[in-house]
Amino acid sequence: RVRGADSAAVVFVAAGALATGNNTSVTPGLPAGTAVDDLVLIHASIRNSGTGVPATPAGWTLLVLFGNEAIFGRVYDGVWTMPAVAFTNGAANADTLAESVTFRRAGMPADTVATQLNGSAQNIAFPAILPATDGCAVILAAWKQDDWITTSSPAGWAFINQVTSTAGSDASQAWWYQIQATAVTIPTGSIPVSGGAAA
């Protein structure tokens, strides 16, 4: 028997069309250029932190759940279509948000997870993390209970995209990535935010 191994680096492909709503399911778009065996991630959130929860779509794997924010993953087979992301324990004016991204030569599940809940503030602080695996993609996902704009990326992070919703009482999420050939510790940091208010 012969098995092939692809030792090339993980590659960022593209982000998909964002989706927002007001206490309703949302369907993010499939990123352009997604090919068979690529990893597709969905970053989803709902505004009513502490109560609302993103529900894992059928056929998808829950990689990270942190209260009202989640990341789901699925390997593309060239057939399935992007799902509607539903939310449990929603509330009136609870903005719902979702966006997708594709990586090539990335796998599941998430080897290491670090989460942090901040008090009301303008910028968004994040914790340190040491990935458990060389040759990996590292994701920094952030959410805030208000509309806001990322003014710049934290040092060492490549920007994926930002989703802002004012359909309800306002919320925003954004994410970044790093490709690490050799796993190294990423220190604590802060995402600079402009616009909106402390939340």
Side-chain angles (χ1 to χ4, degrees), residues 95-163:
D95 298 78
T96 50
L97 309 95
E99 188 177 29
S100 60
V101 68
T102 295
F103 287 92
R104 188 153 295 147
R105 293 187 289 273
M108 295 189 296
D111 291 315
T112 312
V113 174
T115 59
Q116 180 170 309
L117 178 62
N118 299 312
S120 181
Q122 180 67 359
N123 293 339
I124 303 173
F126 59 86
I129 190 170
L130 172 59
T133 306
D134 293 339
C136 66
V138 185
I139 301 294
L140 169 61
W143 172 89
K144 188 175 176 179
Q145 199 174 45
D146 198 19
D147 55 319
W148 53 280
I149 298 170
T150 54
T151 54
S152 62
S153 296
W157 293 95
F159 185 56
I160 296 175
N161 213 349
Q162 176 178 345
V163 181

Side-chain angles (χ1 to χ4, degrees), residues 30-43:
L30 181 69
T34 300
V36 172
D37 292 333
D38 285 349
L39 175 64
V40 181
L41 303 177
I42 295 176
H43 179 200

Side-chain angles (χ1 to χ4, degrees), residues 48-117:
N48 58 330
S49 175
T51 307
V53 178
T56 305
W60 288 72
T61 299
L62 175 63
L63 300 179
V64 183
L65 176 61
F66 187 54
N68 63 310
E69 185 181 14
I71 295 179
F72 310 109
R74 189 173 186 183
V75 175
Y76 189 57
D77 64 0
V79 178
W80 56 256
T81 57
M82 292 298 289
V85 179
F87 301 85
T88 59
N89 302 319
N93 292 320
D95 298 78
T96 50
L97 309 95
E99 188 177 29
S100 60
V101 68
T102 295
F103 287 92
R104 188 153 295 147
R105 293 187 289 273
M108 295 189 296
D111 291 315
T112 312
V113 174
T115 59
Q116 180 170 309
L117 178 62

